[in-house]
Amino acid sequence: MTKGELPIKSICRIIEIRNFKTFNYLRIDNLSQINIIYGRNNVGKTALLEAIYIGLSNISPEGVLSLLRGFPISQNPQEDSFNLLFHNFNYKEEISIRLEFNNKILLETIIGKPFLSKNVVIKAKNLEERISSNSLYIKWELKWSENESDILESIINFQNILDSGQLIGQKPIPIPTVLSAGNLNAEIKPEFYFTTSGKILPDFHVRTYGELVRKGLKTQFLEALRTIEGNIEDIDVIHFAGVPCIGIKVGGKYFPVDTMGEGFYRIFSIIQKFVEKQNGILLIDEIENGIYWEVQGKFWRYLEEFATKFNVQIFATTHSYEFLKNAINNVSNPEIISGIKIKRTEEGFEAVVLKGEELFDMLRENYEVR
């Protein structure tokens, strides 16, 4: 494999996480093209998706900020807004996220505090004067071979809000500055698709659809939608109530995609990501939400079809036993699937992986695999 190729054209087979949120240590082997993550509440299913996201987000270090998930950034630059990312708030130990692909390429992410990290080598003029304690050091290393690697480093810093803040109403909100150095010479753009936080804004769909058209993928996208709703005649950008949005043409008329029902809207959004993120990784939280149980079999069929057709690896969480069982009679190649159960142990957490027919046999016998 040459450096010009994307490493995630091949499947990620191993994930290893240290000191991140819920996990003191977690290793998962035997990953497949479609990986369904299940387990009790508060065992780190969503945190696992977030760890994968961080491990692949080298192009946009600011994306780490989104993982604070609703917690406010401190108004005091001397307070540390990033402690929430560390297991038990232990920021004295670095976060490590290691992804190994089936061609032996490794992508390793180190996250720590700039003045505590053993790994920090980024050079910046007057670094100590420019970096407050409310900062984070991130190092991505893409190891192409035993002796060859590329490194990208970033420091995210919240400076004094009087110098770098923006006003939200009457409240100053600090905004980050990012210092970066290095280059991975690879474009890795996963899609972190949280569907439990409400609908995506119409302008996002319009922008994404525009990218699909620009890449010549409209026909593929339309064919994919017709596997769910065969009456669709066309898709285009329309104006509804003065706002541009995606219109679905049925019976000679265009309807805003929002009016097509929650289940269709959700499926529409996921298919859009399949086509957009070819040769990439798609992360979906609570994949069964909004999808009627009678549609879930067909949903499984196109998950398999599109994952294969567009070479997309899927990591998705679920709470639904019925959703898992629907895979049995609707997936033609069981080996494309791994079921990952995360459970608590005395030492912390562990992942139990059931692969292909082993998972299906357990489901046929009505064993509680969740």
Side-chain angles (χ1 to χ4, degrees):
M1 185 171 199
T2 65
K3 292 178 67 173
E5 295 179 302
L6 298 185
I8 54 176
K9 284 183 178 178
S10 60
I11 298 298
C12 177
R13 295 299 186 189
I14 299 173
I15 298 172
E16 192 174 62
I17 304 167
R18 297 179 188 273
N19 199 40
F20 177 72
K21 286 197 168 182
T22 303
F23 306 120
N24 179 36
Y25 177 77
L26 183 73
R27 179 185 169 102
I28 307 175
D29 296 87
N30 297 318
L31 297 171
S32 299
Q33 187 127 29
I34 300 175
N35 303 278
I36 305 298
I37 304 156
Y38 45 87
R40 295 178 180 272
N41 289 332
N42 201 33
V43 294
K45 298 186 295 296
T46 299
L48 173 57
L49 295 186
E50 293 175 329
I52 298 169
Y53 175 68
I54 287 181
L56 296 168
S57 295
N58 58 80
I59 300 301
S60 178
E62 296 94 328
V64 175
L65 300 174
S66 68
L67 302 189
L68 296 177
R69 282 162 55 187
F71 287 93
I73 300 299
S74 174
Q75 301 296 300
N76 183 349
Q78 300 307 312
E79 294 179 359
D80 194 337
S81 302
F82 297 108
N83 284 356
L84 293 165
L85 298 176
F86 295 84
H87 178 65
N88 288 340
F89 310 110
N90 180 19
Y91 62 86
K92 294 184 179 180
E93 296 292 330
E94 294 173 332
I95 295 169
S96 171
I97 300 166
R98 186 174 178 270
L99 307 176
E100 181 176 333
F101 299 88
N102 61 3
N103 48 18
K104 301 301 181 182
I105 287 178
L106 302 178
L107 183 59
E108 187 170 14
T109 303
I110 300 294
I111 300 176
K113 304 302 295 178
F115 301 119
L116 293 176
S117 175
K118 303 182 293 293
N119 290 278
V120 60
V121 296
I122 191 171
K123 304 299 182 185
K125 186 178 180 180
N126 300 322
L127 184 64
E128 293 189 11
E129 297 177 7
R130 298 174 62 185
I131 303 300
S132 71
S133 61
N134 197 359
S135 59
L136 203 65
Y137 166 71
I138 309 174
K139 174 185 175 183
W140 287 278
E141 183 172 6
L142 183 59
K143 298 180 180 179
W144 300 93
S145 66
E146 192 171 319
N147 300 316
E148 187 177 24
S149 65
D150 292 324
I151 294 174
L152 175 65
E153 296 177 284
S154 295
I155 291 179
I156 303 175
N157 179 49
F158 286 96
Q159 297 174 327
N160 192 306
I161 59 174
L162 297 177
D163 298 327
S164 64
Q166 60 183 7
L167 285 177
I168 306 296
Q170 299 298 315
K171 203 171 188 180
I173 303 296
I175 56 177
T177 58
V178 179
L179 304 174
S180 297
N183 186 5
L184 289 183
N185 293 321
E187 184 181 27
I188 305 172
K189 292 186 177 180
E191 183 58 37
F192 196 21
Y193 186 56
F194 274 120
T195 55
T196 55
S197 57
K199 290 185 175 181
I200 295 177
L201 296 177
D203 64 333
F204 177 84
H205 276 316
V206 170
R207 291 196 306 273
T208 304
Y209 173 72
E211 278 296 300
L212 296 179
V213 173
R214 186 181 67 81
K215 295 176 181 178
L217 296 173
K218 176 180 176 178
T219 300
Q220 287 176 283
F221 184 42
L222 192 56
E223 289 174 354
L225 288 177
R226 285 174 178 153
T227 65
I228 298 136
E229 179 52 68
N231 295 326
I232 293 176
E233 299 163 10
D234 198 6
I235 180 173
D236 211 338
V237 177
I238 65 172
H239 281 75
F240 184 76
V243 177
C245 64
I246 296 298
I248 305 294
K249 188 177 182 181
V250 179
K253 296 181 179 180
Y254 281 97
F255 299 88
V257 67
D258 298 64
T259 67
M260 298 292 288
E262 184 69 27
F264 178 84
Y265 185 91
R266 184 112 191 284
I267 292 172
F268 166 88
S269 301
I270 293 174
I271 289 179
Q272 189 179 36
K273 295 305 172 190
F274 268 114
V275 181
E276 180 193 7
K277 301 297 177 184
Q278 297 186 56
N279 301 315
I281 291 178
L282 185 61
L283 310 175
I284 309 172
D285 204 22
E286 299 186 13
I287 189 171
E288 77 284 355
N289 274 7
I291 301 176
Y292 189 54
W293 66 272
E294 287 187 339
V295 181
Q296 289 181 5
K298 184 180 289 187
F299 183 63
W300 266 112
R301 289 197 290 274
Y302 82 70
L303 277 180
E304 179 185 21
E305 176 187 349
F306 297 153
T308 304
K309 181 177 182 178
F310 299 122
N311 191 33
V312 173
Q313 187 174 17
I314 301 169
F315 293 88
T317 68
T318 185
H319 288 284
S320 172
Y321 188 70
E322 291 71 25
F323 176 78
L324 286 168
K325 292 200 72 169
N326 265 303
I328 297 174
N329 296 321
N330 292 285
V331 172
S332 62
N333 177 19
E335 295 309 308
I336 201 173
I337 298 176
S338 285
I340 303 170
K341 180 176 182 178
I342 301 178
K343 63 180 185 178
R344 292 180 183 272
T345 67
E346 291 183 0
E347 293 76 25
F349 294 88
E350 71 174 6
V352 178
V353 180
L354 297 176
K355 194 173 178 70
E357 283 293 351
E358 182 183 13
L359 173 64
F360 283 13
D361 287 343
M362 296 286 281
L363 291 169
R364 290 188 187 99
E365 297 297 325
N366 293 314
Y367 283 103
E368 177 54 75
V369 299
R370 293 172 301 174

